[in-house]
Amino acid sequence: MSDTKANNDAHLNLYEMATAQFERAADAIKLDPAIRAILTEPKSEISFNFPVRMDDGRIRMFKGYRIQHNNILGPYKGGIRYHHDVDIHEVKALAAWMTWKTSLAGLPFGGAKGGVTCRPGELSRTEMERLTRRFTHALGNNIGTEYDIPAPDVGTNSQIMDWMMDTHVNTVSILDRTRGKGVVTGKSLACGGSKGREKATGQGVCHIIEAWAKESGRSVKGLKIAVQGFGNVGYWTCKIIAEMGATVVAVMDHTGAVANPAGIDVAGLKAWMDANKKLPGFAGAPEVSADAFWSADCDVMVPAAIENQITGRTAPMIKAKVVVEGANGPTTTAGDANLASRGIPVVPDILANSGGVIVSFFEWLQNRASEYWELDEVDARLKRQILEAWSNVSRTAKERNIDLRTAAYAVALLRIAEAYRARGVFP
Ligand code: NAD
């Protein structure tokens, strides 16, 4: 529906945008220059080209990445993206955001991200499996249960994680195979995944919307929500927030936008989408333009698709009272400035979409202990952990008189800085 890179109105690549956010927060907390220098670049950048046999017998080359940004707090952690826009700058930005996200959520993890530049919609299931297994094999010892733990992201899902896990355990010693299952999170339940992981990011977004509503004297019941993206994060956000009593008034994905001020039947839209692979045409909500989506009369705008969507051009159209970032990096520097000038707070990605990595941590713990937790236990722990992060950010923003994004970075950076101060720099 909108182009990712062309939308980057600041003409910065995504890593430069992520670095600008980091520097603003580093200035606000007067971060030690040595720690600042360490955190400015990733610890390691892995990129490689690998061959995959297509169904017609041809060999095609693909480019894969794994960027390991920082591991002072624990093993590297972060998703794997399959998308045609994947490049080194994007993966570096996403890896840095994972470092801040895991720190802010109080997890014993660092940050990483990976991806393959490809069009998953154009690959058959068998091509997807061969690509995933060859990519995992090429990653080799750069991933591991105690070292670097991938997860799903845009264009990947539990099936891809199951193939990654299976490939990994088949390349390690037989003595390490049980432990090796924890090499990725977001697996299917049959392969050691956690109950509640699939919905976790959307669930977390809804906890954050509820916390914002409570703090601003509102109730979720009756709130009007617009959501960009109807994949994992977007769909679960729509479903759960509607169950909490809010009204989903507009949804947009790469196939188009639909809106209905009286409320969209989320289950109906999902059934239509599964059958037709597009949003427009759904009987319960007429198709609207992308600009009409951004201008929707709503209380909460949830960008839950890809980066660079709320820009200097689209931000001025937004009428919502708050923006809650389900996606990573959906708001450009110019978009942020416009929303701030109009008093619209932005709950940043590293807080709002941290539900996924929090439940990934629970999956990793369950795998280590060979345990299976019930859904109510996963849900209760997720709620406690994400709301604690919310109150830390909200309090810091008020105490330091800074916006929520800078406050979220400040909380995350202070925890990392404390670890560096205590450990020192080797040798
Ligand atoms: P997904 O692949 O399941 O869904 C992506 C959605 O974005 C789809 O609905 C797609 O149509 C839409 N989209 C893609 N290009 C678009 C465009 N140009 N314009 C409008 N819509 C477009 O991915 P996901 O897992 O839901 O991830 C969405 C975002 O949330 C990403 O930024 C991801 O990094 C972030 N995120 C995901 C998780 C997770 O657990 N899956 C966790 C944290 C953050």
Side-chain angles (χ1 to χ4, degrees), residues 162 165 181 184 187-194 363 366-367 372:
D162 290 349
M165 180 273 286
K181 273 190 164 188
V184 292
K187 301 179 291 291
S188 69
L189 286 178
C191 292
S194 175
E363 179 176 333
Q366 290 171 74
N367 290 166
Y372 291 96

Side-chain angles (χ1 to χ4, degrees), residues 129-205:
E129 176 172 355
R130 284 194 293 273
L131 179 145
T132 300
R133 290 188 183 279
R134 188 69 200 234
F135 172 60
T136 309
H137 188 262
L139 284 170
N141 286 338
N142 292 299
I143 57 171
T145 308
E146 305 289 335
Y147 181 63
D148 183 353
I149 308 138
D153 190 68
V154 174
T156 58
N157 56 23
S158 61
Q159 176 62 80
I160 306 282
M161 294 306 113
D162 290 349
W163 286 328
M164 286 192 77
M165 180 273 286
D166 185 69
T167 307
H168 177 78
V169 298
N170 274 291
T171 58
V172 296
S173 142
I174 45 171
L175 301 175
D176 290 328
R177 288 197 182 162
T178 301
R179 211 163 48 104
K181 273 190 164 188
V183 67
V184 292
T185 57
K187 301 179 291 291
S188 69
L189 286 178
C191 292
S194 175
K195 287 182 178 159
R197 173 61 183 90
E198 201 196 329
K199 66 170 178 153
T201 307
Q203 176 95 57
V205 168

